Amino acid sequence: MTLSLNPATLICMPFFETAMPQPPTIVSEARVNHYLQAFYQANGQPFVPEDSHVREWLAGENQVSFTTMAEALVTQIVTRTDLSDLDMVILAHWTPDAELGQAVTNYVLHRLALEDTFAFAFSDTGLVSPVMALDCIDRYLPSQKGKALLLVMDQNSLMFHSPVVDQHPISNAASGMVVERNSAGRQIHVRIHEGTEPGAENTVLQQVSEQYGLMAESTTVICAPEIAARLSPQRHIRCTRPDLLCAAPFWEMQQAIAAGGPFAQHFVLLSQHQEKFYVLIVTSGRTL
């Protein structure tokens, strides 16, 4: 069984400040700080008042909710393919939604009038959440004619301190795509490798290149700049933009596909989380 991506359904979008519903008057700064403290405790983390950005979050500046992003993505994708027969709707993100209490995948189910569709979200595996989401799709999508909608998004309005957001500018950005079982389009493969030894990223690339018959002259490797710095100079590499977080690799792949050329035949999206490398191989079809 294989997964396929129709490049025409791959949408990447930036989002700018939009009007957000103001929190109810009962949502005071003290009440949200109390929630935040409980949130930290539930995750086994100490909470200090300096970690709170609740006042700024309540002000609602530059906020874009995930439902706003989902609506924009679905509106474009539905013009390119039929979404009435989805088996799965999966959301992948790292940052939390700017609007608390919203079930984004349920919103999509309602928006598309889907009644028997499985919906789920991945949010606790950092930048590799989209890869984990695709691994989930590959495991559970029906073996015949299955179809899934993957939405990937992050936003920059957090109610708590985050080193990633505080030290680097983060953009409100999202991407969406439709993947299908045994269909035309680019084939997708997910692989997870241990990566504790020095030079592990080059070993992983060599292994997946041999397994899928990928030639350096027709393959683009997409990864974070810190990973790219450790790769062989013989590789054709596109570095991801740190401000785009989870959506970053798909932005680079979309741009490379649009530009065309020999290096746009196959892609290896390489990311690292803790002591593992997460690899998304996207091929144009037969490679050997």
Side-chain angles (χ1 to χ4, degrees), residues 190-228:
V190 176
R191 292 293 180 267
I192 302 175
H193 294 258
E194 297 292 335
T196 57
E197 298 297 325
E201 50 280 319
N202 284 291
T203 301
V204 169
L205 273 179
Q206 184 64 31
Q207 290 175 349
V208 298
S209 296
E210 293 176 357
Q211 182 177 0
Y212 295 101
L214 305 179
M215 305 299 291
E217 58 268 22
S218 60
T219 303
T220 295
V221 179
I222 299 176
C223 59
E226 58 269 23
I227 296 178

Side-chain angles (χ1 to χ4, degrees), residues 43-55:
N43 286 275
Q45 300 293 327
F47 174 76
V48 294
E50 289 75 15
D51 287 335
S52 174
H53 290 178
V54 169
R55 183 173 301 172

